[in-house]
Amino acid sequence: MIKIEGRNPVIEALKSDRYIEKIMVSTSAKEGSINKIVKMAKEKGIVVQYVDKVKLNEISQSHSHQGVIAIASDYKYFDIDELLQIPKEKNEDPFFIILDEITDPHNLGSIIRTADAVGAHGIIIPKRRSATITPTVIKSSAGAAEYVPICKVTNIVNAIKKLKENGVWIVGTDMDGDIHYEKDLTGAVGLVIGSEGFGISRLVKENCDFIVKIPMVGNVSSLNASVACSIVLYEIFRQREKSR
Ligand SMILES: C[S@@+](CC[C@H](N)C(=O)[O-])C[C@H]1O[C@@H](n2cnc3c(N)ncnc32)[C@H](O)[C@@H]1O
């Protein structure tokens, strides 16, 4: 079981068909969206348990529960074949994100949130040395983790090769690339974002079809990984919308 913490994440979980064992609500949280959550839970026949705020603080893993925690079934990761099936079923050009060892749960949550906003078909993460779906990630995604398929793979390079075999162009991001908005980013695309500390690893970079950079004129040498990811995702989204 996994804890889903915070109001938006719990609302999104209640909207989905995910199994929820119970919802714990702080006795001191009565206002606003808490009433909506309790109503939604009751309509679905889910047990609502009122607990003291101190107890909820102890249970919370994200430390930002906003007075509500749902105990839900574990997150279901996709495999790469299932991921590739999604754009086919929607009759859309594949649009994937590949995270090369993003370790900060807030970055992963924020990337999931933007991925949902731009209609990406899924995110590939490595099994090791990576943030995975935790209460903090779900909270940071504002509940978008319910909608964005995540695929955990043993080897990112092999996953990239598989995407390429399926006609996906792999776009890396680094400071030594071409300006992102001057490149054609339409068609089947897999966007690679490097780790917070080390960027994209050498082998992954060698397997990218091309590299793009987000121009910068300031003093710091790079952007935050989730910010960089959002900027390029929105350029891909803009170009895809324009080419429809
Ligand atoms: C914090 S940066 C990594 C910095 C790292 N010290 C390095 O040497 O590459 C994390 C990731 O965000 C993306 N990124 C950040 N700033 C970028 C920029 N200006 N252009 C393209 N990608 C960028 C890249 O994917 C990068 O690997």
Side-chain angles (χ1 to χ4, degrees):
M1 302 299 273
I2 190 167
K3 293 179 189 116
I4 298 177
E5 309 185 3
R7 297 182 186 198
N8 277 336
V10 172
I11 288 173
E12 295 308 335
L14 280 165
K15 281 194 217 155
S16 75
D17 53 12
R18 174 196 276 267
Y19 169 72
I20 297 177
E21 188 186 270
K22 66 176 173 183
I23 289 186
M24 289 186 285
V25 177
S26 162
T27 42
S28 56
K30 293 205 168 57
E31 78 298 349
S33 49
I34 285 289
N35 299 329
K36 178 179 172 183
I37 289 170
V38 171
K39 187 167 175 271
M40 284 173 86
K42 286 190 173 155
E43 277 166 10
K44 291 187 91 175
I46 296 166
V47 174
V48 178
Q49 184 186 349
Y50 289 91
V51 294
D52 191 74
K53 194 178 169 192
V54 178
K55 173 105 191 295
L56 217 56
N57 290 344
E58 281 169 17
I59 296 166
S60 171
Q61 281 174 261
S62 72
H63 305 296
S64 143
H65 56 69
Q66 299 171 310
V68 59
I69 297 179
I71 307 295
S73 54
D74 277 337
Y75 184 83
K76 180 200 165 291
Y77 290 96
F78 285 62
D79 67 33
I80 197 143
D81 292 313
E82 289 173 316
L83 213 59
L84 283 161
Q85 217 34 53
I86 296 167
K88 278 192 192 141
E89 278 163 14
K90 293 186 168 174
N91 202 18
E92 291 175 359
D93 282 328
F95 183 7
F96 297 119
I97 301 156
I98 301 131
L99 302 179
D100 189 13
E101 302 188 359
I102 289 290
T103 53
D104 180 336
H106 296 103
N107 279 341
L108 178 57
S110 150
I111 289 170
I112 294 171
R113 190 171 181 172
T114 312
D116 174 60
V118 298
H121 298 118
I123 300 178
I124 297 174
I125 59 171
K127 278 195 179 129
R128 297 178 59 222
R129 292 188 292 271
S130 172
T132 53
I133 303 298
T134 60
T136 307
V137 170
I138 295 172
K139 178 71 182 52
S140 300
S141 80
E146 292 298 328
Y147 305 107
V148 181
I150 314 275
C151 169
K152 254 204 274 188
V153 296
T154 318
N155 186 304
I156 284 286
V157 172
N158 288 347
I160 286 178
K161 286 182 178 159
K162 175 110 190 197
L163 294 185
K164 283 175 148 183
E165 283 162 21
N166 282 271
V168 179
W169 279 81
I170 306 299
V171 182
T173 49
D174 204 349
M175 288 311 293
D176 60 3
D178 301 318
I179 293 179
H180 74 293
Y181 54 74
E182 291 177 351
K183 296 293 284 186
D184 181 357
L185 301 171
T186 56
V189 165
L191 176 70
V192 187
I193 298 294
S195 77
E196 294 91 345
F198 306 106
I200 299 185
S201 64
R202 185 184 55 81
L203 256 186
V204 169
K205 198 168 177 183
E206 280 170 14
N207 279 279
C208 291
D209 290 301
F210 58 90
I211 304 289
V212 295
K213 74 165 175 214
I214 303 158
M216 296 172 62
V217 295
N219 298 295
V220 179
S221 63
S222 66
L223 294 162
N224 163 277
S226 68
V227 170
C229 184
S230 296
I231 290 171
V232 185
L233 282 181
Y234 261 93
E235 179 58 18
I236 296 172
F237 176 68
R238 189 189 69 81
Q239 292 189 18
R240 283 166 76 95
E241 290 292 298
K242 212 172 147 197
S243 69
R244 265 179 202 259

